[in-house]
């Protein structure tokens, strides 16, 4: 599969590296306003091709996106230390108004995969600007938050994160909802599993994990300026599901026609992802507090969208 990446910064280049080493993309085209940066990142990634799967990795411009199955939008301004994702809204919306039309002019058949923050709102902006059906504009959403949740749970329980089935829902940001009530380890409810192995999920443990998930980005940004490896891997996983028509259940963000009577809003829920993009939304069973948290998260996102006049 040919994959275009608009934005050759740390997130875009990390995604290109993951796509190449995992053998998901046969061709990767990196595009950036800084053409020298795009060329340098493409060449650096290309030097890893002998250690992975065959692929062509090159720099280009939007005219080189023809035939791409997926275009990753990782362009825009980066999050500053202490800045919330929602504070990025106006700055990145302006960037996308200039970019999306160019991408659609050359890759109208591609699925658009949005990585720029605030990702839920930027996904809704992209869907509006592109005119594509909601399922063909996918935000990375809480795929990374879900991975963080599973990793922390796996570490506490002493098991592989791959054996933990738990999701983070709603906004990729401060109002996100950790769905504890339906989380499982293998086929066993999480609380029962934890009790059986002598690693109970006390309130202190839950609070520590909640903070670890919710504040992870801020901690990393404070230490090194930005996050890129985790989301690069998450983007590669989404492309992999599209390429293989997996109908994989992933916590990604698309525009939902209505959430709790608030109208259309993009947010993360478990969704089926395959060759056509998102083909179905799976509404999880939540306890009362989680359901209210999801509604509140949707209301925050909807309020920001209304400010843009979408």
């Amino acid at each position: 599969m040919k994959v275009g990446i608009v934005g050759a910064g740390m997130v875009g280049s990390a995604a290109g590296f993951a796509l190449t080493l995992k053998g998901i993309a046969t061709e990767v085209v990196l595009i950036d306003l800084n053409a020298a940066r795009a060329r340098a990142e493409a060449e650096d990634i290309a030097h890893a091709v002998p250690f992975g799967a065959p692929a062509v990795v090159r720099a280009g411009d939007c005219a080189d996106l023809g035939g791409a199955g997926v275009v990753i939008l990782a362009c825009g301004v980066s999050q500053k230390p202490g800045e919330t994702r929602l504070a990025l809204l106006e700055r990145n919306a302006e960037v996308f108004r200039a970019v999306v039309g160019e991408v659609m002019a050359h890759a109208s058949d591609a699925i658009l995969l949005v990585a720029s923050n605030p990702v839920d709102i930027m996904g809704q902006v992209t869907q509006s600007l592109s005119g594509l059906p909601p399922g063909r504009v996918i935000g990375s959403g809480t795929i990374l938050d879900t991975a963080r949740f599973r990793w922390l749970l796996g570490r506490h329980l002493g098991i592989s994160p791959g054996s933990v089935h738990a999701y983070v829902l709603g906004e990729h940001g401060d109002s996100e909802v950790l769905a504890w009530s339906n989380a499982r380890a293998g086929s066993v409810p999480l609380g029962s599993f934890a009790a059986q192995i002598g690693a109970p999920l006390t309130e202190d443990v839950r609070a520590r994990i909640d903070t670890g998930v919710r504040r992870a980005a801020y901690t990393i940004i404070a230490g090194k300026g930005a996050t890129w490896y985790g989301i690069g891997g998450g983007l590669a996983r989404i492309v992999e599901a599209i390429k293989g028509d997996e109908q994989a259940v992933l916590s990604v963000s698309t525009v939902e026609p209505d959430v709790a009577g608030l109208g259309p809003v993009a947010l993360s829920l478990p969704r089926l992802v395959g060759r056509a993009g998102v083909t179905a939304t799976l509404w999880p069973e939540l306890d009362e507090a989680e359901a209210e948290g999801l509604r509140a998260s949707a209301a925050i996102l909807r309020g920001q969208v209304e400010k843009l006049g979408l």
Side-chain angles (χ1 to χ4, degrees):
M1 173 182 279
K2 179 177 180 179
V3 178
I5 302 175
V6 182
M10 297 310 300
V11 170
S13 59
F17 183 61
L19 287 165
T20 302
L21 276 199
K22 293 187 71 177
I24 297 167
T26 55
E27 182 177 359
V28 175
V29 180
L30 286 165
I31 301 167
D32 199 278
L33 279 175
N34 183 342
R37 173 67 181 268
R39 286 194 299 272
E41 294 291 359
E43 187 168 340
D44 197 10
I45 295 170
H47 292 165
V49 168
F51 307 117
V56 174
V57 185
R58 62 189 178 93
D61 54 34
C62 285
D64 296 303
L65 292 175
V70 176
V71 175
I72 297 172
L73 301 178
C75 47
V77 293
S78 60
Q79 189 175 9
K80 298 176 182 178
E83 183 180 33
T84 66
R85 295 178 179 93
L86 292 179
L88 291 171
L89 174 57
E90 288 291 348
R91 295 195 292 148
N92 271 336
E94 286 301 317
V95 173
F96 271 57
R97 288 186 182 103
V99 168
V100 173
E102 280 293 307
V103 171
M104 291 303 298
H106 300 284
S108 59
D109 293 331
I111 291 171
L112 303 185
L113 178 51
V114 181
S116 302
N117 280 318
V119 69
D120 303 290
I121 299 169
M122 297 316 303
Q124 191 155 357
V125 168
T126 301
Q127 194 268 324
S128 177
L129 292 172
S130 68
L132 290 172
R136 286 184 56 200
V137 180
I138 305 173
S140 56
T142 60
I143 194 166
L144 178 54
D145 309 270
T146 291
R148 290 165 174 161
F149 190 22
R150 294 176 178 180
W151 177 71
L152 286 168
L153 285 170
R155 188 170 68 173
H156 173 72
L157 298 172
I159 62 174
S160 166
S163 295
V164 178
H165 308 291
Y167 292 92
V168 177
L169 312 173
E171 178 201 359
H172 171 54
D174 297 335
S175 71
E176 64 192 18
V177 177
L178 279 63
W180 289 92
S181 65
N182 56 36
R184 279 171 162 66
S187 63
V188 181
L190 196 65
S192 176
F193 184 95
Q196 289 182 48
I197 65 168
L201 291 166
T202 64
E203 288 302 315
D204 285 345
V205 170
R206 287 175 179 254
R208 185 170 67 250
I209 290 174
D210 184 281
T211 300
V213 174
R214 204 176 298 276
R215 301 296 301 176
Y218 297 111
T219 301
I220 294 169
I221 289 168
K224 68 174 193 174
T227 68
W228 56 81
Y229 294 126
I231 189 57
L235 292 166
R237 178 67 189 100
I238 296 168
V239 176
E240 183 179 41
I242 294 168
K243 177 186 178 182
D245 196 22
E246 293 182 22
Q247 302 303 314
V249 179
L250 302 173
S251 57
V252 294
S253 179
T254 60
V255 176
E256 194 66 26
D258 182 68
V259 179
L262 297 168
V265 61
L267 78 173
S268 286
L269 291 163
R271 291 189 165 98
L272 297 183
V273 180
R275 187 174 295 121
V278 168
T279 57
T281 295
L282 307 173
W283 285 89
E285 295 182 3
L286 304 174
D287 66 24
E288 185 175 346
E290 292 164 352
E292 174 54 29
L294 184 61
R295 190 208 65 78
S297 187
I300 289 170
L301 291 167
R302 182 62 194 168
Q304 294 296 321
V305 167
E306 289 174 351
K307 291 179 182 179
L308 292 177
L310 293 180

